[in-house]
Amino acid sequence: MTLSQKIVPLLVLCVLQAGDLLSTRLALKIPGVMELNPLVRQLGLWPAKLLVCALVLVLVWQAKRMRRLWTLCGIYAVIVASNVLLLVTHAGALAQRTN
């Protein structure tokens, strides 16, 4: 598989990583919400995201099958969707905290 074939899943993963970062930051502002990812709890959000981004780049570079890349995209889409769902269901608590 050539690098040009990997560009689209790489871009999708980059967008999903940014979405995960932003949605996680917003979700953590909701009272009572705690981070479930042990990597983020140990390192902090920014260092963990940088480490994961580096690992994703290595995975994309080494990937021999597109299915693995799209599976990773699907996993991150579920993570971002979970964060967004949390934000939507707790929007009132978040609005009170920011005011």
Side-chain angles (χ1 to χ4, degrees), residues 22-87:
L22 293 174
S23 62
T24 299
R25 287 187 69 201
L26 287 173
L28 288 174
K29 291 181 181 182
I30 298 171
V33 170
M34 74 177 223
E35 176 61 58
L36 296 178
N37 184 340
L39 188 63
V40 174
R41 281 189 295 194
Q42 291 291 322
L43 299 176
L45 187 58
W46 283 100
K49 281 291 139 197
L50 291 174
L51 177 62
V52 169
C53 283
L55 291 173
V56 164
L57 286 173
V58 169
L59 178 71
V60 169
W61 181 21
Q62 295 295 322
K64 293 183 181 7
R65 295 187 185 145
M66 293 294 286
R67 181 177 36 187
R68 290 181 183 168
L69 298 179
W70 289 116
T71 300
L72 186 59
C73 288
I75 291 167
Y76 268 101
V78 169
I79 291 169
V80 173
S82 172
N83 288 344
V84 170
L85 181 63
L86 182 69
L87 289 169

Side-chain angles (χ1 to χ4, degrees), residues 11-21 72-74 76-78 80:
L11 292 176
V12 171
L13 281 170
C14 288
V15 168
L16 288 169
Q17 285 290 323
D20 183 32
L21 176 68
L72 186 59
C73 288
Y76 268 101
V78 169
V80 173

